[in-house]
Amino acid sequence: MKAAMLYGVKDLRIEDIEVPKVGPGEVLVKVKAATTCGTDLKIFKRGYVSRVIKLPTVFGHEWAGEVAEVGEGVSWPKVGMRVRAGNSAPCLRCKMCQKGCYNLCEDMIWLWGAYAEYIKIPARMVLVNMQEIPSNLSYEEAALTEPLACVLHGIEKAEVRLGDTVAILGAGPIGLMHLLCAKRLGASKTIIIDLIEERLEFAEKLGADETVNAGEKNVVNEVRKLTDSYGADVVIEAIGLPQTWEQALKLVRRGGTVLEFGGCPPDTEIKISTELLHYDQIRVMGAFHATPFHFKKALNLIASGTINVKPLITRRMPLEKIKEAFDLLLTSKKDIKIAIIP
Ligand SMILES: [Zn+2]
Ligand SMILES: [Zn+2]
């Protein structure tokens, strides 16, 4: 089969590799669509791989497809079923899992290899994080279950409420998904902040009430202006830079919540004023990944049309052109997500 193999920084090649052999409990899926993701782009660009991925490797983690083969002892799913799965499966047994923090599982298994003709799903993932795709849903939309699951996990923790003002730093795919969710949760004013004008226009089309170009305006002043000088009820950082993590703290109102969502490079530290935490009583939180519960819920929200992720897929490209797709995402900021079709 054809598969994209990552060898190092910006070194992504299409190769012929063997179709994985299916063992007991495992499932082989023919990938019908895989979507590009900021995490993949980060790894492609920085080669930051230590804890997440070992090189050379199959690559890509957002996908949906059709069951091609099932291993011994698998009663569900059936061959031919439309499914999505992963990209993680908690063990359900470690201390974190037993406390209900499935996203923090100490024995998590991760699945890579979406940019390929076939992908093999480990037995544990078949059991805890594989879902059938409703018939009305396209494969490419179903592939977006993974990022939406992470966003749901974060925004639920941040407790956005009816009538809240929500400021979001970053109008990439994750920032835009936070925007879609914040609108649905009843935010009365959403403010999107980014450096790229095209991205801000895109956010407006998706329903952003206000946009701020951080390259042209003083972000703190602008957000104050837009919030009667109080600051936003909830601020979401969806970039993953220490500067914007710190900036987020300055955009929130007293007693408000900051969700630091974007992952920074290893060993990054930020400064935080104790006054903000004490006198202004702001709540600062992180959110890592998602739980099987969020994956299931994300798929349902996409299928029901509650969260319309379709506009986020701005281009489709064949698997053979995967390198081009990533080069494009690095250079042009016009595309949000590219669906790779094997
Ligand atoms: Zn992703
Ligand atoms: Zn666990």
Side-chain angles (χ1 to χ4, degrees):
M1 68 168 187
K2 287 200 172 22
M5 296 291 292
L6 184 72
Y7 278 87
V9 175
K10 295 184 192 167
D11 188 359
L12 187 59
R13 310 173 202 167
I14 295 290
E15 291 188 348
D16 263 311
I17 63 170
E18 265 187 54
V19 176
K21 295 223 177 348
V22 175
E26 296 174 339
V27 168
L28 186 73
V29 176
K30 185 163 182 23
V31 178
K32 295 287 192 174
T35 43
T36 59
C37 167
T39 306
D40 295 347
L41 190 64
K42 240 190 244 178
I43 295 172
F44 177 78
K45 183 166 72 177
R46 293 186 194 157
Y48 140 64
V49 289
S50 53
R51 255 191 290 173
V52 195
I53 198 168
K54 270 196 199 110
L55 298 176
T57 178
V58 287
F59 198 41
H61 64 277
E62 299 177 6
W63 59 272
E66 189 185 289
V67 176
E69 196 185 332
V70 300
E72 204 190 306
V74 174
S75 55
W76 182 98
K78 303 282 184 216
V79 170
M81 195 182 267
R82 289 154 41 90
V83 294
R84 66 145 313 272
N87 62 332
S88 67
C91 75
L92 313 184
R93 229 181 304 178
C94 74
K95 194 123 188 176
M96 287 298 112
C97 282
Q98 296 279 299
K99 283 186 178 286
C101 307
Y102 301 108
N103 60 308
L104 301 180
C105 172
E106 286 165 331
D107 186 26
M108 189 81 98
I109 51 173
W110 299 95
L111 181 62
W112 295 91
Y115 304 135
E117 288 182 88
Y118 292 90
I119 187 167
K120 187 177 79 171
I121 321 307
R124 187 205 284 173
M125 199 170 281
V126 174
L127 286 178
V128 305
N129 196 4
M130 177 180 253
Q131 299 91 25
E132 183 174 8
I133 302 168
S135 57
N136 64 314
L137 203 58
S138 68
Y139 286 113
E140 55 186 45
E141 287 169 276
L144 296 184
T145 298
E146 188 268 338
L148 184 62
C150 300
V151 165
L152 282 181
H153 174 235
I155 206 161
E156 281 181 357
K157 264 184 172 320
E159 295 174 339
V160 172
R161 292 199 173 91
L162 272 173
D164 276 355
T165 294
V166 179
I168 300 168
L169 287 151
I174 291 293
L176 294 172
M177 279 193 179
H178 275 292
L179 166 66
L180 293 175
C181 291
K183 299 285 290 183
R184 273 300 186 182
L185 287 165
S188 60
K189 189 184 273 184
T190 48
I191 307 167
I192 311 295
I193 302 139
D194 202 289
L195 286 165
I196 298 154
E197 204 50 48
E198 286 106 320
R199 286 271 166 103
L200 292 172
E201 281 162 22
F202 199 91
E204 264 168 37
K205 277 190 215 143
L206 288 184
D209 301 289
E210 305 283 349
T211 58
V212 178
N213 189 321
E216 291 167 6
K217 298 231 167 99
N218 178 309
V219 174
V220 178
N221 289 349
E222 285 306 305
V223 170
R224 297 276 152 188
K225 252 193 248 168
L226 293 167
T227 55
D228 299 327
S229 79
Y230 279 95
D233 298 299
V234 177
V235 180
I236 299 170
E237 200 277 359
I239 297 172
L241 289 173
Q243 305 89 288
T244 39
W245 272 52
E246 286 182 0
Q247 189 170 52
L249 305 168
K250 297 183 182 131
L251 305 181
V252 73
R253 69 159 166 84
R254 302 183 75 201
T257 297
V258 175
L259 172 65
E260 305 283 21
F261 193 86
C264 296
D267 301 320
T268 303
E269 290 181 357
I270 61 160
K271 250 194 186 160
I272 178 165
S273 142
T274 57
E275 278 173 48
L276 273 180
L277 289 172
H278 183 73
Y279 297 105
D280 288 343
Q281 220 181 293
I282 70 166
R283 196 161 67 116
V284 183
M285 57 174 49
F288 171 65
H289 195 54
T291 72
F293 161 71
H294 294 102
F295 283 93
K296 175 87 182 137
K297 185 146 82 164
L299 181 63
N300 288 345
L301 288 170
I302 296 171
S304 64
T306 309
I307 304 288
N308 180 14
V309 294
K310 219 175 194 166
L312 300 178
I313 300 166
T314 49
R315 193 186 291 263
R316 285 150 198 90
M317 289 172 88
L319 178 60
E320 292 73 29
K321 295 204 167 155
I322 182 100
K323 171 81 165 55
E324 248 173 79
F326 274 91
D327 287 335
L328 203 67
L329 289 169
L330 275 188
T331 48
S332 144
K333 299 289 176 190
K334 279 189 194 145
D335 282 301
I336 305 297
K337 276 190 172 275
I338 300 178
I340 302 295
I341 315 294

